[in-house]
């Protein structure tokens, strides 16, 4: 049975329909990548699954249980954890406090302070530091570690490589490799297509709020994904590609 | 010796002010909002203690213990009924809402209890004290107030700094949405913070009523003093609030020693001096964000 089921999901920001009629399922242990241009609705989808944003329509199920009406903290207790875009650490808390504050849900599992530090060796020695004073890469490691501290069944990663030096991204993905191979079900948003196709077993591509491609990573070519990414297979709009790269990242 | 006595009395008065400011400081720290009904909630607490003590014939100290949980529930109702919606609207709406509540509370108290001043009888404790030399006396009630203020503010500060619950409260204060994403029920944290804040307001009102007369109209003045205490001590620091209370109390009594008319003015002057020369407060730190 699927661990996560999303059915006919519609999520709005005011009048804007950021996610439209999205349906897909993720099996236990599967790693699924979500790709798409900026503004395609990836973050909105992730936040809706995590419960940070209430959908206007549709249903979200975790292991057969409808969690659509549950608030975010209840979904954490049920086993969904989101590493939000932009990290969103508690800047005035120490690294250790950022990690421990996420262990109050008391879900049983392998992740605790020691396990997180072992998985992210770059955090060794930083535990007493104020989280706001860390480098971007260190902060991202804390953000991932914080989500792991809840011992999730489903880990949602939203652009963990955003704004980081390539070397740092490699380090993070090395650490993630151990996590990904540990059987945790993962849904990840990744801008770097090569990396997304490398770690994921399946890839979903979003375009203007819809899922326009949902294929096993091994059976899809880079060209097919790029086409879906920019909506080139639909009536070709010449400036679609430039329009899609317009940045709207929050600070 | 009169000056020493003025300082001693100021510290005792500062205990009451610190108690008043405790809830205001906590609510600002956690919800980032100034509860303008704080002073009137304190008066409500004083009246509840007075009515209960008179009706059942128990000591005001015992009545306080019974009133505190009631005030806590008032805090939860305040949070659930008024603040949660107003905080979501953002901007000034939570301050406007609590301002409205302040006016309603004051008028309801006025309607029920009339404008007359009254006091809370604690028997011989109101005058008993330790006489040191000819001019310094240390009232037991004042010592008790200071001890309660230190225990309360210190206890809350330790709770926030050292415990898991405290971490959850600080995380929620920093970013409630993200706190939810790590499994914290932010509404429950807010409800607890409001409960503690309003209960301590009631406690402050009761201690105030034990040392001087009170009436339904004194809420705004107490709110102003509490506000000054929080600013003097530094926003977001409970130790600062304790220190701020003492500083304001001592400023007022030393001012009164110079000339009784200077009492309140001296307090305001210290407040303004802190704002001018150390805007983050005596123990406050400059806030920073990622
Ligand atoms: N908080 C918000 N308020 C209003 N509009 C938003 C908000 N967040 C995102 N949007 C809009 O929703 C659409 C989808 O955004 P988002 O989910 O962040 O896309 P992605 O993560 O794929 O870049 C965009 O048009 C964006 O401008
Ligand atoms: Mg995004």
């Amino acid at each position: 049975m699927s661990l996560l089921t999303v059915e006919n999901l519609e999520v709005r920001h005011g009048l804007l329909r950021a996610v439209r009629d999205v349906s897909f399922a993720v099996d236990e242990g599967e790693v699924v990548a979500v790709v798409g241009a900026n503004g395609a609705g990836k973050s909105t989808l992730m936040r809706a699954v995590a419960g940070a944003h209430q959908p206007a329509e549709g249903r979200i199920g975790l292991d057969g249980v409808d969690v659509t009406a549950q608030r975010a903290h209840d979904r954490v207790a049920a086993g969904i954890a989101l590493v939000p875009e932009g990290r969103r650490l508690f800047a005035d808390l120490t690294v250790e406090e950022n990690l421990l504050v996420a262990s109050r849900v008391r879900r049983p599992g392998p992740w605790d302070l020691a396990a997180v530090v072992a998985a992210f060796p770059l955090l060794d020695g930083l535990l007493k530091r104020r989280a706001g004073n860390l480098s971007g890469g260190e902060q991202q490691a804390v953000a991932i570690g914080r989500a792991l501290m809840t011992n999730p069944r489903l880990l949602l990663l939203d652009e963990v490589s955003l704004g980081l030096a390539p070397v740092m991204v490699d380090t993070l993905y090395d650490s993630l490799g151990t996590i990904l191979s540990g059987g945790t079900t993962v849904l990840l948003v990744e801008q770097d297509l090569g990396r997304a196709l490398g770690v994921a077993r399946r890839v979903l591509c979003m375009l203007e709020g819809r899922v326009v491609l949902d294929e096993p990573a091994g059976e899809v070519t880079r060209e097919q994904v790029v086409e879906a990414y920019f909506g080139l297979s639909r009536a070709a709009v010449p400036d679609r590609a430039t329009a899609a790269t317009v940045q709207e990242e929050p600070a | 010796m009169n000056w020493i006595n003025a300082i001693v009395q100021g510290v005792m008065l500062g205990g009451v002010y610190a108690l008043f400011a405790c809830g205001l400081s906590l609510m600002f720290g956690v919800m980032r909002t100034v509860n303008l009904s704080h002073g009137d909630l304190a008066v409500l607490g004083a009246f509840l203690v007075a009515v209960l003590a008179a009706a059942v014939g128990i000591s005001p100290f015992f009545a306080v213990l019974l009133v505190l949980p009631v005030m806590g529930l008032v805090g939860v109702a305040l949070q659930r009924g008024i603040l949660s919606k107003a905080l979501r609207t953002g901007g000034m709406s939570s301050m406007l809402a609590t301002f409205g509540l302040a006016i309603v509370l004051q008028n309801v108290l006025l309607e029920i209890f009339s404008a007359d001043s009254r006091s809370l009888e604690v028997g011989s404790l109101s005058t008993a004290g330790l006489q040191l030399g000819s001019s310094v006396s240390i009232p037991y009630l004042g010592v008790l107030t200071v001890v309660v203020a230190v225990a309360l503010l210190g206890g809350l500060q330790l709770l926030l700094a050292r415990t898991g619950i405290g971490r959850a409260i600080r995380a929620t204060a920093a970013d409630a949405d993200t706190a939810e994403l790590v499994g914290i029920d932010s509404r429950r944290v807010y409800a607890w913070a409001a409960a503690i804040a309003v209960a301590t307001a009631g406690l402050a009102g009761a201690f105030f009523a034990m040392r001087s007369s009170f009436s339904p109209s004194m809420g705004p003045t107490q709110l102003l003093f509490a506000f000054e205490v929080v600013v003097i001590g530094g926003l977001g620091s409970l130790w600062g609030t304790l220190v701020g209370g003492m500083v304001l109390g001592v400023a007022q009594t030393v001012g009164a020693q110079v000339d009784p008319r200077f009492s309140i003015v001296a307090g305001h002057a210290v407040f303004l001096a802190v704002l001018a020369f150390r805007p983050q407060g005596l123990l406050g730190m400059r806030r920073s964000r990622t």
Side-chain angles (χ1 to χ4, degrees):
Chain A
M1 189 163 75
S2 303
L3 181 65
L4 172 71
T5 48
V6 173
E7 293 166 39
N8 309 108
L9 197 70
E10 168 145 334
V11 192
R12 300 187 189 135
H13 294 290
L15 288 176
L16 179 83
R17 293 157 71 208
V19 169
R20 312 176 190 191
D21 196 25
V22 165
S23 300
F24 64 93
V26 180
D27 286 339
E28 181 106 55
E30 213 178 4
V31 177
V32 177
V34 180
V35 299
N38 269 315
K42 306 177 299 293
S43 294
T44 305
L45 173 66
M46 300 290 262
R47 288 174 56 78
V49 171
H53 201 116
Q54 205 52 41
E57 272 166 50
R59 218 185 72 91
I60 297 163
L62 183 75
D63 205 9
V65 179
D66 188 340
V67 297
T68 319
Q70 284 184 12
R71 289 174 54 215
H73 71 268
D74 286 326
R75 295 194 207 185
V76 176
I80 300 179
L82 169 67
V83 179
E85 188 177 70
R87 310 185 275 266
R88 306 279 296 266
L89 293 185
F90 305 115
D92 285 328
L93 272 61
T94 64
V95 170
E96 185 176 32
E97 288 177 327
N98 266 277
L99 295 173
L100 288 177
V101 80
S103 62
R104 291 182 58 75
V105 284
R106 302 202 188 290
R107 282 179 56 81
W111 292 104
D112 56 19
L113 207 56
V116 167
V117 176
F120 295 95
L122 79 163
L123 296 184
D124 207 3
L126 298 179
L127 287 180
K128 301 294 177 197
R129 288 264 292 277
R130 185 179 162 277
N133 293 344
L134 302 183
S135 75
E138 291 161 351
Q139 288 195 5
Q140 191 64 68
V142 177
I144 299 170
R146 184 177 66 177
L148 291 172
M149 289 293 284
T150 67
N151 280 301
R153 298 180 69 183
L154 172 66
L155 179 64
L156 308 168
L157 298 164
D158 195 352
E159 300 214 26
V160 293
S161 41
L162 188 73
L164 301 183
V167 163
M168 187 45 89
V169 179
D170 287 339
T171 314
L172 280 179
Y173 267 90
D174 282 348
S175 297
L176 272 177
T178 22
I179 297 155
L180 298 184
S181 62
T184 311
T185 311
V186 177
L187 187 62
L188 88 159
V189 172
E190 176 54 68
Q191 284 286 1
D192 181 339
L193 207 51
R195 219 177 267 282
L197 292 171
V199 294
R201 212 166 76 190
R202 218 172 95 212
V203 55
L204 294 183
C205 185
M206 289 187 76
L207 176 72
E208 293 168 355
R210 294 179 211 282
V211 172
V212 289
L213 178 142
D214 180 352
E215 297 283 347
E219 293 172 21
V220 71
T221 65
R222 219 186 143 83
E223 285 65 38
Q224 282 175 301
V225 179
V226 170
E227 252 178 38
Y229 195 100
F230 294 123
L232 298 178
S233 53
R234 306 196 314 175
V237 181
D239 63 353
R240 173 94 64 201
T242 43
T245 49
V246 171
Q247 291 288 320
E248 44 75 50
E249 293 303 340
Chain B
M1 276 310 252
N2 279 340
W3 293 99
I4 295 173
N5 191 48
I7 290 169
V8 169
Q9 303 311 320
V11 169
M12 312 268 136
L13 182 61
V16 184
Y17 288 158
L19 280 179
F20 265 118
C22 174
L24 200 69
S25 178
L26 184 71
M27 219 160 189
F28 182 83
V30 178
M31 274 102 134
R32 301 268 178 265
T33 190
V34 178
N35 174 14
L36 294 178
S37 64
H38 189 79
D40 299 284
L41 286 166
V43 181
L44 173 70
F47 273 107
L48 287 181
V49 171
V51 167
L52 186 68
V56 189
I58 49 175
S59 139
F61 290 105
F62 194 56
V64 167
L65 295 181
L66 297 175
V67 165
L68 285 187
V70 176
M71 292 299 285
L73 290 179
V74 170
V76 173
L78 170 70
Q79 164 60 22
R80 293 267 151 90
I82 297 176
L83 285 179
S84 65
K85 288 185 199 79
L87 286 172
R88 235 174 293 141
T89 319
M92 296 277 290
S93 47
S94 57
M95 274 171 75
L96 288 174
T98 55
F99 183 60
L101 177 65
I103 293 173
V104 170
L105 267 179
Q106 202 177 324
N107 283 289
V108 168
L109 290 173
L110 206 57
E111 195 61 43
I112 300 175
F113 297 106
S114 82
D116 298 343
S117 293
R118 58 175 77 200
S119 58
L120 207 49
E121 281 312 319
V122 285
S124 59
L125 193 61
S126 59
T127 48
L130 190 65
Q131 194 70 31
L132 292 180
S134 60
S135 60
V136 179
S137 74
I138 303 179
Y140 293 139
L141 184 60
V143 173
L144 180 67
T145 312
V146 171
V147 167
V148 169
V150 170
L152 182 68
L153 284 148
L156 278 176
Q157 176 71 41
L158 288 178
L159 176 90
L160 285 177
R162 300 277 167 82
T163 68
I165 294 169
R167 272 198 298 271
I169 294 174
R170 283 183 290 139
T172 307
D175 183 346
D177 283 344
T178 306
E180 283 273 337
L181 288 175
V182 302
I184 296 165
D185 185 346
S186 59
R187 280 193 215 159
R188 222 170 109 193
V189 169
Y190 282 158
W192 270 106
I196 296 171
V198 173
T200 59
L203 187 66
F207 271 103
F208 181 92
M210 287 174 198
R211 56 176 287 141
S212 39
S213 61
F214 65 103
S215 70
S217 59
M218 70 167 219
T221 313
Q222 297 313 312
L223 173 70
L224 179 64
F225 290 159
F227 181 71
E228 290 185 342
V229 166
V230 174
V231 173
I232 291 171
L235 288 176
S237 161
L238 289 172
W239 285 129
T241 300
L242 186 62
V243 172
M246 303 298 163
V247 169
L248 185 69
V250 170
Q252 289 188 357
T253 51
V254 169
Q257 185 67 28
V258 178
D259 184 321
R261 288 173 305 173
F262 285 165
S263 167
I264 305 297
V265 176
H268 293 334
V270 168
F271 164 70
L272 288 176
V274 168
L275 264 190
F277 299 110
R278 202 178 154 80
Q280 73 271 36
L282 297 178
L283 266 65
M285 278 171 294
R286 233 158 264 164
R287 298 204 69 79
S288 46
R289 317 212 135 258
T290 28

